[in-house]
Amino acid sequence: MYRIMEYNPQLRPYAGDIELRMKLYRDTKKRLLPDGGSLNDFANGHHYYGIHHTAGGWIYREWAPNADQLYLTGDFNHWDLTGHPMTQLEGGSWELFLEGDDALWEGCRIKTVVDANGERTTHIPLYATRVVQDPKTVTFNAEVVDDRKQYPWTDEEFRAEDSLYIYEAHVGMAQEEGKIGTYREFADMTLPRIQKAGYNTIQLMAIMEHPYYGSFGYQVSNFFAASSWFGTPDDLKYLVNTAHRMGIRVLLDVVHSHAVKNTAEGINLFDGTEWQFFHAGDKGNHPAWDTKCFNYGKDEVIHFLLSNLKFWMEEYHFDGFRFDGVTSMLYHDHGLGTDFNTNDRYFSLNTNTEAITYLQLANELIRQVNPRALTIAEDMSGMPGMGLPIADGGMGFDYRLGMGLPDMWIRTVKETSDEDWDIGAMWGDMCLRRPGEKTVAYVESHDQALVGDKTMIFRLADAAMYTDMDKACHNPVIDRAIALHKMIRLMTLGGGGEAYLNFMGNEFGHPEWIDFPREGNGWSFHYCRRQWSLMDNGYLKYQWLGEFDRDAVELTKQHDLFRQWMADLMLQRDKLLVFYRSGLLFAFNFDPSHSYENVGVRVPHLADYTVALSTDDGKYGGWDQIAHGSYPAKEDGRGGAYVELYLPARTAVVLAEGEIRQPEENASQDYDTLKEGKSS
């Protein structure tokens, strides 16, 4: 029996389904590796296909099984469409040798000409590593990248921290000017901010080439090309190398869930068929995204996608991946409108077992390329085993995104008055995690920051943010928003998972949504940037939020918070919540008007508990009602211990556990006789 059923005994009726999944995984590996070997040896499409310098000249190979003839055209032959025909090889591959070192050159523009089904079309080579839009014609061309040129990496000794504090970032909008930012600007100006804020991992969005900037990078056209919107391949390598020098891990937001339907820019219809990479007919079209869906049961598609993962790790030194759109991959209906309220939903004809196999193979390959690499799954369905090892019947991801947490916070803030918040239900959502599977907790990601939605601070403060964020101004709406923003993020960080994620700017309550330049907004960049000056100028309350977030991250890192799997609940009643994790005691009073004195809280050890962080500190916009002193734990007469806390309204405090003391003899105080806290 696989361990997935030990973690989840309710899955035992589905033991046969789980075994079938594992058999498909084993059978697929045997089919891909008939002579043994490893996936690392298999996933080398990027070394064979594409354009490479070789002895005496250049070699270009392509895979187009349905094509009648292929040609290479470009600057090198004055765009003669048929002057350089390719030779057909076995297995649907094609090859062209260009003699002479100067036959091609760095930056030489090229395209592939394909004759198929009686038509002639031009395409970007499938394995192109640089694709650039012509500003005059607005068309895209591939450019030759000379693979003899080696980037001077200096990150051989890089080792990231074990804990995971993720800063989700988009390079283009990571600066304040009304323009598209660059890889080098991000490295030189944004990385120092991230390091100062305490985050040790960046998750980069929109890196794989996409023809439409406003797609947020989620409609990929060229899977091996670093997006030219932000600079050159060397510029991206500079960014990664700089991050590693600063001790920051770099994850790629990889999109293998679908592809843009474009034919001139993308891989769709490359050889004249829709089934080269994708399913034929309606099955190959994503109804919600208007994109193409991969056929994960096809060996050549698996080869292409696995080679793609290895390429990004080899060529750009990425430390792992956040897999986008996993729910869409897992189900034939892409999870659209499905309520995953029973285990039957995970084990049905709607489940795409070929996608499950691909994800297992992907995770196995990634660890073979780099044993320290990390993978995160974006899955809203809660598929069991997502974050378990393959050998345990899982899919091999290190983490899954806690996608229910933002939904919970939105429901709470949007639909319920402060007086009616159900603290017990909120804590239940915090603990709703798959056994044995690590979760990335977050309050909001880029999804909640997009135009049409609202960030948490905007939900709390709304229009008052535009007028009353000056530190000299006092507005109860803003006071509430700032207090709850700190408490919500602290509760999620402290109790929501085994890692933490923040989208850039949200740590200081960035006031405006993200709206990419488009026809509807006059192609404006006004909402497609980050206004760092709001936090930097010293006059606005954003500074309070940013500094609180930084100190909360630093405190939890110092105490290695995530080494304890889940927090221990110490007290939950009314609007009070107290939990303990890794030597830190987190105490919250969400009541909007009642403060509580002498609240008796059980603690795990007899020790002194010292205030280490308080949302009520003046430097974070609070009222300094909590003294930064020590709270000695007392014996309860039954071998346990407790502390008495003062918890002002709408305030949270974190106390650090000191040296553990031995119990005294004849201790008689009984915790049960304590008052539950006097309201004031």
Side-chain angles (χ1 to χ4, degrees):
M1 183 174 69
Y2 295 103
R3 289 190 68 190
I4 185 174
M5 287 175 280
E6 295 178 18
Y7 286 119
N8 304 270
Q10 70 275 15
L11 298 182
R12 286 175 181 168
Y14 307 96
D17 297 88
I18 294 171
E19 178 53 45
L20 281 174
R21 294 182 182 184
M22 296 305 296
K23 184 178 185 301
L24 180 59
Y25 157 73
R26 293 190 298 267
D27 290 348
T28 304
K29 274 189 67 177
K30 289 179 182 178
R31 190 175 71 245
L32 298 176
L33 308 170
D35 300 322
S38 68
L39 292 172
N40 196 13
D41 298 325
F42 169 77
N44 286 316
H46 53 298
H47 292 309
Y48 181 77
Y49 293 110
I51 291 181
H52 302 281
H53 188 272
T54 189
W58 299 78
I59 193 80
Y60 171 46
R61 297 190 187 95
E62 203 62 88
W63 177 64
N66 184 67
D68 299 315
Q69 181 61 56
L70 264 65
Y71 309 87
L72 184 65
T73 187
D75 291 335
F76 71 98
N77 69 356
H78 307 289
W79 296 96
D80 181 347
L81 294 182
T82 60
H84 286 78
M86 301 180 70
T87 302
Q88 189 170 18
L89 308 176
E90 293 182 357
S93 295
W94 299 78
E95 182 178 89
L96 172 67
F97 176 71
L98 296 171
E99 186 175 357
D101 288 344
D102 58 352
L104 295 174
W105 57 91
E106 177 90 10
C108 173
R109 296 175 300 162
I110 56 169
K111 277 190 175 180
T112 307
V113 182
V114 179
D115 287 349
N117 307 324
E119 295 185 12
R120 175 168 292 164
T121 53
T122 58
H123 302 264
I124 302 295
L126 294 176
Y127 286 80
T129 56
R130 178 155 170 80
V131 177
V132 176
Q133 186 176 30
D134 188 307
K136 294 181 180 179
T137 65
V138 200
T139 59
F140 287 82
N141 296 297
E143 287 187 354
V144 173
V145 175
D146 191 339
D147 53 6
R148 291 172 295 180
K149 184 181 66 173
Q150 299 297 313
Y151 186 80
W153 293 98
T154 60
D155 61 351
E156 294 83 2
E157 303 300 320
F158 170 69
R159 296 292 184 276
E161 295 177 347
D162 291 335
S163 59
L164 196 60
Y165 292 81
I166 305 171
Y167 202 84
E168 186 184 40
H170 182 282
V171 170
M173 56 179 290
Q175 40 72 49
E176 195 153 350
E177 294 183 56
K179 64 169 190 174
I180 298 176
T182 68
Y183 295 123
R184 288 187 176 268
E185 287 172 332
F186 187 94
D188 294 339
M189 296 188 292
T190 307
L191 281 179
R193 290 185 176 276
I194 297 170
Q195 184 184 48
K196 184 178 179 180
Y199 291 86
N200 58 21
T201 302
I202 54 172
Q203 178 183 298
L204 290 181
M205 311 169 63
I207 296 301
M208 304 167 79
E209 189 62 87
H210 48 290
Y212 178 46
Y213 184 57
S215 74
F216 227 139
Y218 288 121
Q219 295 203 3
V220 174
S221 52
N222 313 107
F223 284 77
F224 292 82
S227 179
S228 59
W229 289 109
F230 317 123
T232 68
D234 276 2
D235 293 338
L236 176 56
K237 293 173 184 177
Y238 172 80
L239 188 164
V240 176
N241 198 51
T242 302
H244 286 171
R245 190 170 66 246
M246 300 169 73
I248 298 173
R249 179 190 290 110
V250 187
L251 304 180
L252 174 66
D253 197 350
V254 69
V255 185
H256 281 183
S257 46
H258 60 131
V260 71
K261 65 192 299 183
N262 303 32
T263 58
E265 298 90 359
I267 65 175
N268 186 28
L269 298 179
F270 183 87
D271 74 344
T273 66
E274 58 182 343
W275 58 82
Q276 182 182 6
F277 288 99
F278 312 113
H279 290 288
D282 289 342
K283 188 176 180 180
N285 299 316
H286 198 293
W289 299 340
D290 194 27
T291 51
K292 302 299 294 184
C293 301
F294 284 105
N295 180 355
Y296 302 108
K298 194 170 182 178
D299 292 355
E300 294 86 353
V301 173
I302 295 174
H303 183 242
F304 180 82
L305 294 176
L306 291 182
S307 298
N308 188 234
L309 295 172
K310 183 175 178 180
F311 166 81
W312 288 106
M313 298 176 76
E314 281 187 339
E315 187 70 17
Y316 290 98
H317 291 202
F318 278 97
D319 303 296
F321 303 92
R322 179 262 201 188
F323 278 71
D324 175 70
V326 169
T327 305
S328 177
M329 300 170 70
L330 291 176
Y331 306 98
H332 294 299
D333 69 354
H334 310 294
L336 299 173
T338 300
D339 186 356
F340 295 94
N341 56 357
T342 70
N343 287 318
D344 291 339
R345 305 290 190 182
Y346 306 119
F347 304 96
S348 71
L349 294 177
N350 185 41
T351 304
N352 188 346
T353 54
E354 292 172 342
I356 292 175
T357 296
Y358 168 67
L359 292 171
Q360 290 173 315
L361 295 172
N363 277 297
E364 181 175 342
L365 166 73
I366 290 165
R367 282 11 174 272
Q368 290 178 2
V369 177
N370 179 2
R372 295 184 301 276
L374 294 178
T375 58
I376 302 169
E378 186 214 28
D379 170 39
M380 60 169 288
S381 76
M383 170 67 79
M386 186 69 67
L388 292 178
I390 299 168
D392 293 343
M395 294 182 210
F397 285 94
D398 294 290
Y399 296 88
R400 64 191 314 154
L401 285 177
M403 300 184 73
L405 294 177
D407 293 341
M408 180 273 286
W409 285 121
I410 290 171
R411 287 195 312 271
T412 301
V413 171
K414 182 180 179 181
E415 301 174 4
T416 310
S417 66
D418 294 5
E419 292 79 7
D420 294 329
W421 283 18
D422 188 335
I423 305 302
M426 291 161 55
W427 178 247
D429 283 338
M430 285 284 162
C431 298
L432 191 61
R433 312 209 280 275
R434 288 284 181 189
E437 303 187 42
K438 292 187 287 189
T439 296
V440 178
Y442 63 106
V443 176
E444 52 194 344
S445 67
H446 71 276
D447 287 326
Q448 288 74 40
L450 285 166
V451 64
D453 206 336
K454 287 185 177 182
T455 61
M456 182 53 63
I457 193 69
F458 230 128
R459 289 186 183 279
L460 294 168
D462 210 26
M465 291 195 71
Y466 291 116
T467 56
D468 298 325
M469 285 298 283
D470 190 293
K471 289 180 180 178
C473 175
H474 292 288
N475 179 330
V477 172
I478 294 297
D479 291 344
R480 168 185 176 269
I482 287 180
L484 288 178
H485 192 271
K486 291 179 290 186
M487 294 178 72
I488 287 170
R489 294 176 70 87
L490 181 64
M491 180 174 168
T492 306
L493 167 60
E498 292 71 43
Y500 183 67
L501 177 142
N502 165 68
F503 178 68
M504 63 178 186
N506 286 352
E507 73 277 10
F508 65 86
H510 197 282
E512 292 176 333
W513 56 82
I514 302 162
D515 189 9
F516 282 86
R518 55 186 173 86
E519 188 175 2
N521 64 16
W523 303 103
S524 170
F525 284 89
H526 180 73
Y527 294 110
C528 197
R529 58 196 179 106
R530 295 286 89 176
Q531 299 180 64
W532 307 109
S533 60
L534 296 176
M535 185 180 67
D536 294 344
N537 65 30
Y539 298 106
L540 301 176
K541 299 173 184 179
Y542 301 104
Q543 183 184 27
W544 292 339
L545 298 178
E547 291 184 355
F548 176 79
D549 189 85
R550 179 198 63 204
D551 291 349
V553 166
E554 178 60 27
L555 176 64
T556 55
K557 285 174 71 174
Q558 287 176 358
H559 286 261
D560 196 9
L561 182 80
F562 303 133
R563 64 182 160 84
Q564 181 176 333
W565 189 266
M566 294 184 73
D568 298 322
L569 180 63
M570 295 298 167
L571 174 68
Q572 183 267 304
R573 65 173 178 82
D574 299 328
K575 298 293 181 288
L576 303 181
L577 175 70
V578 184
F579 59 85
Y580 172 91
R581 192 174 187 187
S582 297
L584 295 175
L585 189 69
F586 293 79
F588 298 80
N589 178 9
F590 281 99
D591 196 296
S593 57
H594 293 94
S595 299
Y596 291 90
E597 299 175 349
N598 305 114
V599 179
V601 177
R602 294 188 187 276
V603 290
H605 305 111
L606 191 64
D608 289 349
Y609 290 80
T610 305
V611 172
L613 183 72
S614 169
T615 64
D616 195 51
D617 280 358
K619 63 181 178 179
Y620 307 134
W623 307 98
D624 285 322
Q625 300 171 92
I626 296 178
H628 275 252
S630 180
Y631 292 75
K634 303 174 184 178
E635 298 177 58
D636 64 5
R638 296 180 298 176
Y642 68 92
V643 293
E644 295 180 64
L645 301 179
Y646 170 51
L647 296 176
R650 212 175 260 151
T651 294
V653 62
V654 185
L655 298 99
E657 184 179 73
E659 185 177 352
I660 299 174
R661 304 192 304 268
Q662 294 299 316
E664 298 178 9
E665 295 183 8
N666 304 319
S668 58
Q669 177 68 51
D670 192 335
Y671 173 85
D672 292 337
T673 66
L674 280 173
K675 294 180 181 179
E676 289 189 342
K678 185 168 58 179
S679 174
S680 60

